[in-house]
Amino acid sequence: MEGKVDNQQSVVKLVAVFEEHCRSRSLSRGENEEEKDQQGRRGLSFKCLRSLRSKICEDDWRRPQGPDLESGSQEPEEKKIALELLETEQAYVSRLHLLDQVFYTELMKEAKTGKTVPEEVVKMIFSNISSIYQFHAEFFLPELRKRMEDWNHNPRIGDVIQKLAPFLKMYGEYVKNFDKAVELITAWSEKSPPFQELIADIQRRKVCANLTLQHHMLEPVQRIPRYELLLKDYVRKLPPQSPDRGDAEKALEMIFMVAKHSNAAIAEMERLQNLWVVYQRLGLEDDIVDPSNELIKEGPIQKISTRNNSTSEKYLFLFNNMLLYCVPKVIQVGAEFQVHLRMDVEGMKVRELKDTEFPHTFLVSGKQRTLELQARSEEEMDAWIKAFQDAIDRKEKRSETFKTAVHGLETPALKTEELGRRAPQWVRDNLVTMCMRCKEPFNAITRRRHHCRACGYVVCARCSDYKAGLQYDGNRPNRVCQECFIFLTGHTVLEDREGKHKGILEKGAAEVSSRSLLCSSLQLLDKNGKGGTRGWFVIPQDDPLVLYIYAAPQDVRAHTSIPLLGYQVRDMPQSESRHLFQLVQSRQVFTFVADTEELKQRWMKAMARSAAGITDPEEEEEDGDPCDEAE
């Protein structure tokens, strides 16, 4: 067959394409001598291999038949392709012989002496090349030869390929191991000069055609795609009534499945390589590196601080089984990020937070910790929530979905059965001015803020002077408040306040606000009308004749209460863009400042109703508008 492939030229072209890709990845060093040395020592990169594999699969790597050769040959087209398959198979078996019977055999012989490299390393480099060589040399090639010798009586090869194609799946193991094999060659060439010298000695032999071991090892990776291309062409050239059409089409389908199997191995290699790159960015910490992990999403995020109500930039790596909460390193020597926290996906929950101060915020609650995170946009927040929810659903394999949206202000208390088993959401420091247990006000010196690690409440040092093992933290002792200590340990304390009667002011702001006629921030001016402090003002539904004033919306005790019955509500002209109104009774005058005119009118109406003794929200007012100005 005049149009057959010259295997030597095909391999040379293969090398040329490979070198072009290597140059694009900056593998060349400038001088020819140094370039050859670097390529021989460093080997092939997997991404270069993958790109090269795709290019050869797409290119017309078979030598085109010239017009004179076409006219001078009377052989059927399908026979020419069958002969081409046979002759390339013969050349391919020679390459396999070189790999198995020369490189592998001689390296293993030297390894047994203990002077070059361990035997296990040689076995890992060549993987199952011996099985591949034996299959092609003793089965596939003899069957093809026999069939081509009998072509005039039985013009077909489809049945042969169909019978032997399942054995080609063994290439998956070789392809999957290829990248590791090249790395081992590079590493041991640097560690063991005798190992490097033996390889170089074999490569100088005529049979190697001036090609490196790595280039010869690439041949099996390319063989399955070449079978597929040849068989496609063979089926295309078969006459419609050919007796081989049925078998050839089935054989092509089987080769396609084998190629798919090989591609799956390459995809797995790519996943592992990408995973390794991520691990390198994280500093290759032992408790993180795991080949079973799958990276789902990564990216920058803002962490909301419960201490100072500010944000700081962090970086998240979300895997199928864990979340890595990281900090970018300022000086990126080695690792790019430092891992601050690892959270298990198992038991994790995620939901959106409706926070007017920090838009696009969501909460990630895990066994180890709960994080309030802020995305840059609503779209980014949605993408993160979806990624987390997908990971949770895949991990837990359940149909039950979590609620991802929360409307209004919500107290981040855990259910009783979850106390100590799940990291709580911490109440932000700026939302409270007093201990959420004993109600004593905080100050910077003698009464500082602390967080209970079980319920997340902000408490003082005296109320959190307890230790309890928390399941979400490996049952290590953590600082908890008195109530959580009693619940988690079953122990009693000397100062048990559970039976203490709550005073009139001891109503939690969050609890009262959720059942209020009206609540919001206002400013109460001093007697001179020049200064004052802002606070959280509430008229409860169950106590509609009293105005409660809290220092912050999550405080558990009001610092002041004003009985509204008998007061008059007085509007005041707008002054310096301030929306002023007053409560007046005899000589007692309270002056308030609202943020907007609309909020001011709402408060005037609510206070006027309470001052008139109207406790039923549906009750009609009989004496005119209670918000009319009272002189």
Side-chain angles (χ1 to χ4, degrees):
M1 172 180 172
E2 297 294 337
K4 67 181 180 180
V5 174
D6 186 325
N7 188 69
Q8 181 66 27
Q9 291 183 1
S10 178
V11 173
V12 170
K13 180 178 180 181
L14 182 68
V15 175
V17 175
F18 163 72
E19 290 176 343
E20 176 186 348
H21 281 265
C22 287
R23 280 193 293 271
S24 69
R25 294 175 58 80
S26 301
L27 293 181
S28 63
R29 297 286 298 273
E31 298 182 2
N32 293 336
E33 194 78 30
E34 187 173 0
E35 179 179 359
K36 289 181 181 179
D37 177 65
Q38 287 294 319
Q39 288 182 3
R41 290 194 307 110
R42 297 181 61 181
L44 303 169
S45 84
F46 167 68
K47 289 187 177 179
C48 186
L49 160 67
R50 185 169 178 265
S51 177
L52 174 61
R53 181 183 185 279
S54 300
K55 184 173 181 61
I56 291 182
C57 287
E58 295 169 0
D59 285 353
D60 182 14
W61 56 269
R62 298 166 58 200
R63 186 177 66 185
Q65 297 172 336
D68 54 333
L69 296 177
E70 287 284 344
S71 59
S73 175
Q74 301 300 320
E75 297 284 5
E77 291 294 325
E78 65 271 22
K79 183 178 180 181
K80 294 178 182 178
I81 298 171
L83 284 171
E84 183 176 348
L85 175 60
L86 173 61
E87 295 186 8
T88 57
E89 184 69 12
Q90 290 172 337
Y92 177 57
V93 168
S94 298
R95 293 287 169 250
L96 291 177
H97 180 274
L98 174 64
L99 286 171
D100 182 53
Q101 298 298 306
V102 180
F103 276 106
Y104 176 62
T105 301
E106 295 191 22
L107 286 172
M108 181 58 73
K109 182 179 178 181
E110 286 298 316
K112 291 181 183 296
T113 66
K115 298 178 180 179
T116 56
V117 66
E119 294 180 41
E120 289 302 315
V121 172
V122 178
K123 292 178 181 178
M124 285 189 287
I125 289 174
F126 291 94
S127 185
N128 61 337
I129 193 66
S130 295
S131 298
I132 293 175
Y133 168 63
Q134 185 178 15
F135 166 73
H136 284 273
E138 298 182 13
F139 293 94
F140 202 6
L141 180 58
E143 287 286 338
L144 285 177
R145 281 176 178 162
K146 182 178 178 181
R147 186 49 54 87
M148 293 313 299
E149 290 171 358
D150 195 37
W151 181 269
N152 293 333
H153 297 93
N154 189 15
R156 55 198 302 159
I157 59 171
D159 58 335
V160 173
I161 298 176
Q162 190 179 154
K163 180 176 70 174
L164 298 177
F167 292 97
L168 296 176
K169 289 184 179 179
M170 69 178 72
Y171 276 81
E173 180 181 345
Y174 182 88
V175 171
K176 192 173 182 179
N177 184 70
F178 180 84
D179 202 40
K180 179 64 176 178
V182 172
E183 289 178 2
L184 287 172
I185 294 173
T186 303
W188 280 95
S189 293
E190 295 174 353
K191 287 182 182 180
S192 173
F195 175 79
Q196 182 182 11
E197 181 56 35
L198 179 56
I199 291 178
D201 177 66
I202 298 173
Q203 288 174 168
R204 285 191 288 266
R205 301 176 190 177
K206 185 177 181 180
V207 68
C208 286
N210 294 320
L211 298 178
T212 65
L213 168 60
Q214 293 93 325
H215 286 90
H216 290 298
M217 290 177 64
L218 188 61
E219 286 273 328
V221 177
Q222 295 300 325
R223 191 57 184 164
I224 300 299
R226 290 182 173 179
Y227 284 144
E228 188 177 5
L229 290 174
L230 280 169
L231 200 52
K232 278 182 180 178
D233 205 9
Y234 176 76
V235 171
R236 191 183 305 118
K237 297 296 176 59
L238 277 177
Q241 303 303 321
S242 171
D244 198 23
R245 174 162 291 279
D247 285 335
E249 289 177 347
K250 289 180 181 178
L252 178 58
E253 184 177 349
M254 295 179 72
I255 290 292
F256 172 77
M257 295 306 296
V258 171
K260 187 176 180 181
H261 185 75
S262 179
N263 289 339
I266 289 180
E268 176 67 6
M269 286 174 60
E270 183 179 30
R271 185 189 73 82
L272 291 173
Q273 173 149 336
N274 292 338
L275 195 61
W276 185 253
V277 171
V278 171
Y279 290 153
Q280 288 178 316
R281 295 166 66 194
L282 293 168
L284 299 176
E285 297 191 20
D286 292 340
D287 61 337
I288 292 175
V289 176
D290 187 339
S292 66
N293 291 337
E294 178 184 350
L295 181 64
I296 296 176
K297 185 175 175 62
E298 65 168 286
I301 203 77
Q302 292 293 316
K303 166 67 171 61
I304 301 175
S305 172
T306 58
R307 291 292 186 190
N308 51 25
N309 213 38
S310 62
T311 62
S312 57
E313 183 176 344
K314 309 296 180 185
Y315 201 92
L316 301 182
F317 289 91
L318 176 61
F319 294 87
N320 58 315
N321 62 343
M322 66 178 174
L323 170 69
L324 299 183
Y325 171 74
C326 308
V327 178
K329 283 191 172 181
V330 178
I331 302 176
Q332 296 180 1
V333 178
E336 184 178 347
F337 298 96
Q338 181 178 355
V339 180
H340 270 202
L341 176 68
R342 170 177 172 169
M343 292 173 57
D344 295 333
V345 169
E346 185 177 2
M348 185 179 285
K349 295 181 181 180
V350 60
R351 60 180 171 87
E352 181 182 351
L353 293 175
K354 298 295 185 181
D355 193 319
T356 56
E357 185 175 2
F358 297 100
H360 321 310
T361 302
F362 60 100
L363 187 78
V364 177
S365 175
K367 294 179 179 179
Q368 291 80 13
R369 190 172 169 185
T370 294
L371 303 173
E372 290 185 51
L373 305 172
Q374 184 184 31
R376 291 170 293 189
S377 65
E378 185 175 357
E379 292 76 14
E380 185 179 273
M381 178 192 70
D382 291 341
W384 272 113
I385 291 177
K386 183 179 185 303
F388 274 103
Q389 195 62 58
D390 288 346
I392 292 168
D393 291 342
R394 288 168 56 184
K395 183 70 176 177
E396 300 185 355
K397 295 182 180 179
R398 62 183 183 181
S399 57
E400 178 182 348
T401 57
F402 295 108
K403 295 180 181 180
T404 56
V406 177
H407 302 284
L409 185 64
E410 177 176 292
T411 302
L414 292 173
K415 296 179 181 178
T416 302
E417 61 270 18
E418 294 182 318
L419 202 65
R421 299 181 180 180
R422 174 182 295 281
Q425 177 188 357
W426 285 12
V427 175
R428 296 183 198 166
D429 285 0
N430 69 314
L431 294 180
V432 294
T433 62
M434 62 186 67
C435 173
M436 297 180 74
R437 292 304 186 189
C438 72
K439 289 83 176 177
E440 293 296 327
F442 290 118
N443 59 63
I445 301 175
T446 61
R447 193 173 294 275
R448 298 178 60 192
R449 291 171 169 83
H450 301 274
H451 278 91
C452 171
R453 268 56 174 181
C455 65
Y457 278 13
V458 183
V459 290
C460 66
R462 184 169 65 89
C463 288
S464 61
D465 191 22
Y466 305 92
K467 296 280 187 178
L470 301 180
Q471 187 174 333
Y472 75 81
D473 193 32
N475 289 316
R476 285 190 291 267
N478 277 265
R479 186 172 199 152
V480 296
C481 66
Q482 175 182 296
E483 282 78 356
C484 291
F485 174 79
I486 295 172
F487 177 84
L488 293 169
T489 65
H491 297 163
T492 57
V493 295
L494 294 178
E495 297 179 4
D496 190 349
R497 300 186 182 88
E498 287 187 0
K500 183 181 176 181
H501 177 70
K502 288 187 176 181
I504 189 172
L505 300 182
E506 294 183 354
K507 296 182 178 181
E511 179 184 359
V512 174
S513 298
S514 64
R515 300 190 305 273
S516 66
L517 298 176
L518 184 60
C519 62
S520 77
S521 293
L522 292 175
Q523 184 178 7
L524 178 61
L525 299 182
D526 58 22
K527 294 181 179 180
N528 298 323
K530 295 182 179 180
T533 58
R534 290 185 66 84
W536 186 257
F537 291 70
V538 184
I539 299 179
Q541 286 182 355
D542 58 357
D543 197 4
L545 303 184
V546 179
L547 174 67
Y548 289 90
I549 305 174
Y550 297 83
Q554 286 281 356
D555 276 356
V556 292
R557 188 179 69 173
H559 62 72
T560 306
S561 65
I562 302 175
L564 296 174
L565 192 63
Y567 274 87
Q568 292 180 322
V569 182
R570 177 182 297 169
D571 194 1
M572 296 185 66
Q574 186 169 318
S575 172
E576 299 177 357
S577 301
R578 297 197 300 176
H579 308 281
L580 304 172
F581 66 100
Q582 292 180 331
L583 275 177
V584 181
Q585 187 183 58
S586 184
R587 296 182 180 181
Q588 186 72 40
V589 179
F590 296 99
T591 304
F592 303 91
V593 182
D595 292 337
T596 65
E597 186 65 24
E598 186 268 339
L599 183 61
K600 165 187 163 181
Q601 295 300 328
R602 289 175 61 196
W603 272 109
M604 289 178 62
K605 182 176 180 179
M607 289 182 179
R609 290 172 61 83
S610 297
I614 301 174
T615 59
D616 186 353
E618 303 297 329
E619 184 178 344
E620 294 292 337
E621 298 161 13
E622 300 176 356
D623 300 326
D625 188 352
C627 289
D628 287 343
E629 184 177 323
E631 298 292 343

